[in-house]
Amino acid sequence: MNNTTRANLIKQGAIWAFIVVELAFFSIAGEFLSVTDSAFMDFDNMLLLLKQSAPIGIIALGMTIIMINGNIDLSVGATFALAAIVLLDSMTWPFMQALGNWAIPLAWLFALATGVILGAINGLIVWKTGVDAFIVTLGSMLGYRGLVFMYNGEQPTSHLNWTLVDFAEAQFLGLHTATWFLLGAGLLLWLLMTRTVHGRNAYAIGNNRDAAVNAGIRVGPHFLWNFMLIGFLAALSAVVFYSESGSVNPNDGMLYELWAITAVVLGGTKLSGGYGSIISTLGGVIAIQLLRKGLGHIGADTETVNLVIGLILIAVLFLDRQLNRKGKEELRT
Amino acid sequence: MTDQTPALRLEGIVKTFPGVRALDGVSFTVMPGEVHALMGENGAGKSTLMKVLGGILAPNEGQIFIEEQPTIMSSPMNAKAKGVVFIHQELSLADELSVAENIWLGELPKKSFGRVDWTKLYDETDAILKTLNVGFDARKRVGDLSIANQQMVEIARALTVEPRAVIFDEPTASLTDAEKVVLFEVISDLQSRGVGVIYISHRMEEIFKITDRISVLRDGQYRGTLNTAETNEEEVTHLMIGRTLDLSRNAVTHEMGEVALEVRSLSCGDLFSDVSFTVRRGEVVGFYGLVGAGRTEIAETLFGLREPSSGTIHLGGEEVTINSPADAIKRGISLVPEDRKGQGLILGMNCRDNMTLPQVSDLTAGPFVSDGAEVAIFDQYRDKLDIRTPGWRQTVGNLSGGNQQKIVIGKWLSMRPEVLIVDEPTRGIDVGSKSEIHNLIRELASQGYAVIVISSEMPEVLHVSDRIVAMFSGRVMREFTAEEVTEDSLIQAISGIGADKVA
């Protein structure tokens, strides 16, 4: 009993230990290799790091739920871009412009609704056709990206609203708006997954789908809700990010699904479903952002950063496997 | 009994699947407080009938009555709410969740905003667990429990409602003899509370021990109901398969050759230690013990799946190290694993491909797999083992358990092994095919193979073995020859009684 709780603690603490190691490494390495004078562990730098984690972080939170549920969603990057276009473009519509600043909440609503609808389409297809979520969302990833390009061709869609920018750049209690959204979404989803019947059922479905069906859990509606949720979160991520930047390229959000999955897996969620935690995913998101920032800090270029993150992901999962083996008596594979 | 209202009554249930009439006008009645056995060969329609009862399938015709009220079961939840609870054969649990969550799966108690009411959940679960007298609490993760305790969790599910009828589908398939006793206590407790129990099993000795009446299905049709006290195994078997079976102890002995396999004080960590035994050509050695006694692990070590921490393995007098299954196969050891569907077969592949799987890389003509050579091997072993399949193209998943097992055995025979290890050869296989498998094992031994049979079923071990090795918690307690063994001494040896005396 004590052994299992300790093993669980190690499992869930691993990602945070990894973060501490990263911090220590980059602080020390930064002393010798840094291209700037400022320390890596600078308070403002850390705040910025949290803010920069937000776009992928919010999506990764949703991805955690989808993956616990035993599915996967590859279309989030495209959903992100489409929601961003709706957000920015809707503010240029004549009737919206007539509303003045009241257009802002309405534009948000449009963008979020876009995400929910796109998610619902995925969810409905997975539910009603029974096709694997990987295939369904692979298709919708291409399809939604197609919609993005149909909107404005290769041209970027831009609209800068200064009230919006002020809001997005605001700092409340030291934290940026984006960070608040990330933490708020994290808290709500953590409550959802640990405290509510829907959350617990999601674990059960991912863990043993037949058992869930036999127990009378209606699997399909749970899928639908979770896909709508991740659609909403992808759109929320877009809302948070593009409120500040004001311009969206049709290629924006590409590979976001893979970064999100990387963060989720790094956080210890099982690819096969049934096990995982929102909090650990936050750890995974921060760990990746730390790596990116830290490697940049010691002068590595983007290509190197990606290579290193890829290697670390594989190394971490290999380590996890080794640690979870029960010693020498284990079956060989 | 006659003036009581039946807890559950089925009348003229018909269920058809495309091309098959799985249930053909089945009627039977379960009284409150009785244990009613439902028997039949695999494919006789037992599972389909129970699925109809459990609300998983809807019947095409017929009517279900609960306490004489006509009822329609629309879903498993619906059936449960009406007091009909189905305890599944294959454990249907989510192992990452807690005991409490599994027991109340699909109906977790709710507070406002869809929040789970944890206090209520844990309190009610602990109350149920208390009546079952188990040694774990509601918060335990199911994956950390033993198989027997997981089965108890499955049973605890039945007690979340006031049950009228509880269906047990092969509940003892994964239980050891000691654990069965606990299960039977639970069943008799249900019985004394006036619950009707439907008990599905292939194991005659259990049926005769705990049931009041026996209903038999054959080919989807109801064949009759017998009072357990007034019948015997032969009559039931006759009803089930339409012929009588010879279940007597093996008496045929044949010449034994030299020692094929010798194991000297083999150990593997905590799993088993200091295990020594020999197997001669033409001999069947049975390994009997509780689940977890280390029998399967020994087999896995001999097959190169585990690394022994000490001890030696000798094949034909020569000391060998076995590093991998490929190594074992090359040296003439074959393992028919415990979990036929999970470890023995690739269910989605056809019969021929499954059978030639270990040697397909040798069956080539140029760069391609040689079709003819594969079919030739399949034909040879189909005839030899009397595998009943429409043809080699048949998907293995569609065959009956007995024929699946024969495919696995055929697969290893075609590798021409010296030592054949069979782990639980008849688990989940019906009575008719069971004795066929037993005869097959005897016959293989008489052809000069050295055979090790691992089994949790005493009649099986007694029936097929020339010698029996009794194991208890990783140690060999005693070796018996077929002549000297008695059921009592065997039970004592495997439960560790008198351990210091014999060891």
Side-chain angles (χ1 to χ4, degrees):
Chain A
M1 179 78 204
N2 257 331
N3 247 334
T4 55
T5 36
R6 196 182 316 143
N8 261 333
L9 266 181
I10 293 173
K11 244 186 192 171
Q12 282 166 5
I15 185 69
W16 303 102
F18 181 57
I19 289 174
V20 171
V21 170
E22 281 182 65
L23 281 174
F25 175 78
F26 288 122
S27 301
I28 296 164
E31 292 294 315
F32 305 104
L33 295 167
S34 174
V35 281
T36 62
D37 291 336
S38 59
F40 182 65
M41 279 272 270
D42 180 62
F43 185 65
D44 282 334
N45 198 23
M46 290 297 119
L47 284 182
L48 195 61
L49 178 136
L50 282 176
K51 180 187 174 185
Q52 288 164 341
S53 320
I56 287 179
I58 293 174
I59 297 176
L61 294 174
M63 193 67 86
T64 313
I65 295 176
I66 288 285
M67 283 169 67
I68 285 172
N69 212 179
N71 287 324
I72 202 151
D73 188 346
L74 300 176
S75 69
V76 281
T79 306
F80 173 85
L82 201 58
I85 288 181
V86 170
L87 173 80
L88 296 182
D89 198 58
S90 68
M91 283 191 285
T92 62
W93 299 343
F95 86 93
M96 292 280 278
Q97 278 185 323
L99 288 171
N101 274 340
W102 284 108
I104 295 172
L106 211 56
W108 282 14
L109 199 72
F110 288 152
L112 293 174
T114 308
V116 172
I117 291 167
L118 295 180
I121 293 171
N122 283 336
L124 273 175
I125 296 175
V126 171
W127 173 10
K128 294 297 180 191
T129 65
V131 177
D132 197 79
F134 183 90
I135 305 297
V136 171
T137 58
L138 186 67
S140 60
M141 171 179 91
L142 298 171
Y144 296 168
R145 184 63 68 182
L147 290 179
V148 171
F149 277 98
M150 280 159 73
Y151 211 92
N152 226 351
E154 302 279 343
Q155 302 304 312
T157 309
S158 309
H159 177 81
L160 211 52
N161 177 318
W162 289 108
T163 321
L164 205 51
V165 174
D166 284 343
F167 172 77
E169 287 188 339
Q171 277 173 287
F172 178 65
L173 297 176
L175 298 177
H176 296 91
T177 310
T179 313
W180 280 110
F181 273 95
L182 175 65
L183 296 179
L187 178 70
L188 286 178
L189 293 178
W190 177 72
L191 288 173
L192 176 77
M193 291 312 278
T194 55
R195 300 293 162 87
T196 70
V197 173
H198 173 74
R200 300 318 293 172
N201 283 350
Y203 275 98
I205 293 167
N207 197 188
N208 186 341
R209 190 164 163 180
D210 288 339
V213 172
N214 283 338
I217 294 174
R218 297 190 62 217
V219 172
H222 281 287
F223 283 175
L224 178 60
W225 279 113
N226 287 333
F227 272 107
M228 283 165 72
L229 194 60
I230 195 174
F232 175 85
L233 290 165
L236 183 69
S237 169
V239 163
V240 170
F241 186 73
Y242 289 101
S243 291
E244 186 170 1
S245 97
S247 174
V248 51
N249 252 308
N251 278 319
D252 280 6
M254 269 199 183
L255 295 187
Y256 271 30
E257 55 281 340
L258 298 185
W259 284 114
I261 293 169
T262 308
V264 173
V265 170
L266 214 50
T269 298
K270 274 191 192 168
L271 264 175
S272 50
Y275 180 85
S277 120
I278 293 285
I279 307 289
S280 300
T281 294
L282 275 180
V285 170
I286 293 170
I288 289 183
Q289 195 59 32
L290 257 176
L291 265 179
R292 286 176 148 181
K293 257 187 116 60
L295 289 169
H297 183 70
I298 58 174
D301 49 28
T302 328
E303 293 79 8
T304 324
V305 173
N306 285 347
L307 179 65
V308 170
I309 293 181
L311 290 175
I312 283 184
L313 179 69
I314 294 170
V316 163
L317 292 182
F318 176 70
L319 213 70
D320 177 65
R321 213 187 105 82
Q322 291 299 312
L323 291 177
N324 282 331
R325 282 179 55 164
K326 288 170 198 142
K328 265 198 142 183
E329 299 121 58
E330 188 72 355
L331 276 175
R332 289 178 184 146
T333 43
Chain B
M1 277 261 272
T2 40
D3 50 344
Q4 267 182 307
T5 347
L8 191 67
R9 193 159 66 84
L10 301 181
E11 210 178 85
I13 300 287
V14 175
K15 175 74 198 171
T16 53
F17 295 112
V20 200
R21 207 169 167 87
L23 290 175
D24 194 1
V26 174
S27 312
F28 85 114
T29 311
V30 184
M31 291 299 185
E34 87 164 332
V35 180
H36 196 126
L38 186 67
M39 299 195 74
E41 290 193 280
N42 283 352
K46 286 170 302 182
S47 299
T48 315
L49 183 61
M50 291 308 114
K51 279 182 181 158
V52 168
L53 258 182
I56 297 167
L57 294 174
N60 302 81
E61 283 170 43
Q63 184 69 55
I64 302 170
F65 299 89
I66 296 176
E67 290 177 345
E68 291 300 294
Q69 299 293 314
T71 313
I72 293 164
M73 314 277 199
S74 54
S75 71
M77 288 321 285
N78 187 256
K80 194 171 176 184
K82 288 172 177 150
V84 179
V85 190
F86 188 12
I87 293 167
H88 293 267
Q89 170 182 9
E90 263 137 46
L91 290 171
S92 159
L93 299 168
D95 55 6
E96 293 286 356
L97 302 188
S98 70
V99 168
E101 283 176 282
N102 267 290
I103 291 176
W104 295 90
L105 195 63
E107 44 182 3
L108 294 170
K110 278 185 210 180
K111 291 194 289 189
S112 54
F113 304 112
R115 285 179 301 155
V116 179
D117 191 342
W118 292 107
T119 8
K120 190 176 166 203
L121 177 67
Y122 286 135
D123 288 350
E124 291 191 2
T125 310
D126 280 329
I128 293 171
L129 292 178
K130 214 171 153 199
T131 64
L132 287 176
N133 221 348
V134 292
F136 52 90
D137 72 354
R139 288 155 206 264
K140 188 98 177 157
R141 193 176 142 258
V142 163
D144 295 332
L145 296 174
S146 68
I147 300 286
N149 281 335
Q150 293 188 3
Q151 185 86 53
M152 296 312 280
V153 174
E154 191 82 50
I155 291 166
R157 276 183 176 170
L159 306 178
T160 60
V161 288
E162 199 53 52
R164 291 198 176 97
V166 180
I167 306 159
F168 289 90
D169 190 0
E170 299 243 17
T172 54
S174 51
L175 295 191
T176 61
D177 289 341
E179 292 157 351
K180 280 177 203 164
V181 176
V182 183
L183 174 73
F184 294 158
E185 274 167 20
V186 172
I187 290 178
S188 73
D189 180 53
L190 284 173
Q191 214 177 344
S192 65
R193 283 158 55 177
V195 178
V197 176
I198 302 174
Y199 191 88
I200 303 175
S201 179
H202 287 310
R203 299 192 180 170
M204 287 285 187
E205 76 272 21
E206 285 170 15
I207 300 276
F208 279 90
K209 197 163 146 196
I210 68 163
T211 65
D212 301 310
R213 290 196 296 163
I214 303 172
S215 286
V216 178
L217 292 180
R218 187 165 91 213
D219 301 330
Q221 285 172 333
Y222 172 74
R223 306 302 297 186
T225 300
L226 304 164
N227 280 326
T228 311
E230 296 157 14
T231 184
N232 55 34
E233 295 193 12
E234 264 165 62
E235 196 180 351
V236 176
T237 321
H238 191 82
L239 215 50
M240 273 169 63
I241 60 178
R243 62 192 155 93
T244 38
L245 263 183
D246 173 30
L247 285 170
S248 64
R249 278 267 282 273
N250 146 57
V252 198
T253 46
H254 36 78
E255 280 299 290
M256 288 186 203
E258 74 271 33
V259 173
L261 170 76
E262 184 176 2
V263 171
R264 286 190 202 147
S265 53
L266 195 69
S267 305
C268 181
D270 297 334
L271 296 171
F272 57 86
S273 57
D274 199 19
V275 170
S276 308
F277 62 91
T278 58
V279 190
R280 302 157 76 94
R281 286 176 189 282
E283 186 180 37
V284 180
V285 175
F287 274 73
Y288 185 64
L290 303 174
V291 170
R295 297 163 303 161
T296 300
E297 288 75 9
I298 293 176
E300 284 166 351
T301 309
L302 290 175
F303 197 54
L305 282 162
R306 291 177 194 272
E307 199 178 332
S309 45
S310 69
T312 54
I313 300 169
H314 303 255
L315 273 175
E318 183 192 346
E319 183 173 339
V320 292
T321 332
I322 300 164
N323 290 320
S324 67
D327 234 15
I329 293 167
K330 212 160 56 196
R331 294 182 189 280
I333 300 179
S334 291
L335 172 67
V336 176
E338 179 176 23
D339 177 3
R340 184 171 61 244
K341 290 178 182 163
Q343 305 167 326
L345 292 166
I346 300 170
L347 291 178
M349 274 181 15
N350 64 40
C351 295
R352 180 199 69 184
D353 291 356
N354 260 294
M355 200 180 269
T356 54
L357 195 60
Q359 52 179 331
V360 74
S361 51
D362 299 329
L363 300 174
T364 48
F368 303 110
V369 173
S370 154
D371 228 31
E374 279 197 283
V375 174
I377 289 177
F378 173 76
D379 284 343
Q380 183 189 345
Y381 288 94
R382 183 194 54 200
D383 297 343
K384 189 168 173 184
L385 305 180
D386 188 24
I387 299 169
R388 268 155 275 157
T389 154
W392 64 262
R393 286 184 183 81
Q394 179 73 13
T395 310
V396 161
N398 297 336
L399 295 181
S400 74
N403 281 314
Q404 287 183 352
Q405 191 66 289
K406 286 182 186 171
I407 298 258
V408 184
I409 294 175
K411 169 169 85 178
W412 291 117
L413 290 183
S414 69
M415 299 303 292
R416 308 191 186 289
E418 315 260 304
V419 180
L420 182 68
I421 308 169
V422 244
D423 197 352
E424 301 287 0
T426 60
R427 175 170 289 177
I429 289 178
D430 57 75
V431 184
S433 322
K434 228 175 200 176
S435 70
E436 268 182 48
I437 300 269
H438 290 164
N439 293 338
L440 179 63
I441 290 172
R442 292 301 310 168
E443 202 188 306
L444 291 174
S446 71
Q447 290 166 15
Y449 292 103
V451 186
I452 297 176
V453 174
I454 298 172
S455 175
S456 301
E457 285 182 59
M458 191 182 292
E460 178 164 292
V461 184
L462 292 173
H463 185 60
V464 301
S465 318
D466 294 308
R467 250 176 335 120
I468 298 171
V469 175
M471 291 200 63
F472 171 70
S473 104
R475 293 177 170 279
V476 173
M477 299 307 292
R478 227 188 122 173
E479 259 191 55
F480 299 90
T481 62
E483 292 80 45
E484 69 184 6
V485 67
T486 64
E487 298 195 6
D488 287 343
S489 57
L490 198 51
I491 284 186
Q492 280 183 5
I494 62 142
S495 32
I497 300 169
D500 22 40
K501 266 181 272 168
V502 275

